[in-house]
Amino acid sequence: MIENIIHSDLFMLTATVALYSLGGALFRRTHFILLHPVLLTFVAMIGILNLCGIEYTEYKQATSILDFALGLSVVALGYLMYEQMEQIKGNLMPVAISTLVGCITGILSVVYIASAFGAEREIVTSLAPKSVTVPIAVAVIEPLGGIISITSVVVFCVGIFGSLFGEWILKIARVKDPMALGFALGSASHGVGTARAIEIGAVEGALSGLAMALMGLTTALLLPLIERYLY
């Protein structure tokens, strides 16, 4: 009886949502890094799945409705961008240049740092798309011979780091413009950073969503070329 409940879709979906809600409430009260809702849910669900003997494929199928909800959130980002369209239209050139420079800098920095520490090419390739969302990162590195599990974890950690410290780092750098702040969060820490940008303001959220999309597209185009000719 208990085993049937544990392996039910309702249990896994409820546990995921409950942990995220708990993490959100605790993080708002304490601002303790380890209680970030995404990090807390991620770690806790790994423990629960291992403890209960639940396969990841079973869990993924049970929580597929969350993937559907994620798609709706992308539509919401599109609406935010539509509301800020006039500001975006007047800054197309800075946006394009920032995307290109940010993409190349993001890739080359991790490539050279990892290579300096003696990382093998397979590891370097896995780390390179650290600033884009997991689906894009995985799709890019898989044909290049990267390790999907490493890429997934690195992208997750980068997103959490950007969400927690991105705004603080930008303030130290004296970045005050809402568009620049939002674009920086989205380009450096993809979806998790965009979630934080939306909390800051509508302009920041809109530019962060735009940056996330453009960085994903640019990385998908440039990384195979960089991987082939540079390292």
Side-chain angles (χ1 to χ4, degrees), residues 10 29 56 65 95 106 162 188 216 219:
L10 181 60
R29 284 179 174 270
Y56 174 72
I65 189 173
V95 165
T219 300

Side-chain angles (χ1 to χ4, degrees), residues 132-174:
V132 300
T133 57
V134 171
I136 296 177
V138 168
V140 172
I141 65 102
E142 190 172 13
L144 299 178
I147 303 172
I148 294 176
S149 57
I150 292 179
T151 300
S152 301
V153 172
V154 168
V155 169
F156 171 79
C157 292
V158 168
I160 292 293
F161 181 87
S163 175
L164 292 172
F165 300 108
E167 185 183 4
W168 176 70
I169 293 172
L170 291 169
K171 284 183 178 179
I172 291 178
R174 298 183 180 180

Side-chain angles (χ1 to χ4, degrees), residues 60 63-72:
K60 184 177 181 180
T63 56
S64 58
I65 189 173
L66 297 179
D67 290 333
F68 175 75
L70 184 61
L72 296 180

Side-chain angles (χ1 to χ4, degrees), residues 108-120 124 127 231:
L108 293 184
S109 61
V110 73
V111 165
Y112 285 127
I113 291 172
S115 298
F117 279 94
E120 298 179 357
V124 174
L127 298 176
Y231 67 95

Side-chain angles (χ1 to χ4, degrees), residues 73 76-77 80 185 191 193-206 208-209:
S73 68
L77 285 176
L80 281 178
L185 287 174
T194 298
R196 175 58 189 151
I198 293 173
E199 293 177 355
I200 298 173
V203 175
E204 290 88 344
S208 186

Side-chain angles (χ1 to χ4, degrees), residues 14-164:
T14 302
T16 304
V17 175
L19 285 169
Y20 185 86
S21 300
L22 175 63
L26 292 174
F27 185 72
R28 284 191 295 270
R29 284 179 174 270
T30 64
H31 295 285
F32 183 51
I33 294 175
L34 296 181
L35 293 179
H36 189 284
V38 177
L39 179 60
L40 176 66
T41 306
F42 181 79
V43 174
M45 283 309 304
I46 289 177
I48 291 174
L49 295 181
N50 285 328
L51 183 63
C52 298
I54 301 173
E55 296 291 335
Y56 174 72
T57 52
E58 184 181 355
Y59 171 76
K60 184 177 181 180
Q61 182 178 358
T63 56
S64 58
I65 189 173
L66 297 179
D67 290 333
F68 175 75
L70 184 61
L72 296 180
S73 68
V74 174
V75 175
L77 285 176
Y79 180 73
L80 281 178
M81 282 189 280
Y82 174 77
E83 286 189 323
Q84 306 298 327
M85 189 59 68
E86 290 303 318
Q87 293 193 58
I88 295 174
K89 283 182 179 179
N91 293 276
L92 291 179
M93 186 58 70
V95 165
I97 294 174
S98 298
T99 302
L100 183 61
V101 172
C103 178
I104 294 175
T105 302
I107 293 174
L108 293 184
S109 61
V110 73
V111 165
Y112 285 127
I113 291 172
S115 298
F117 279 94
E120 298 179 357
R121 181 165 181 159
E122 185 181 34
I123 301 297
V124 174
T125 300
S126 304
L127 298 176
K130 61 178 175 55
S131 296
V132 300
T133 57
V134 171
I136 296 177
V138 168
V140 172
I141 65 102
E142 190 172 13
L144 299 178
I147 303 172
I148 294 176
S149 57
I150 292 179
T151 300
S152 301
V153 172
V154 168
V155 169
F156 171 79
C157 292
V158 168
I160 292 293
F161 181 87
S163 175
L164 292 172

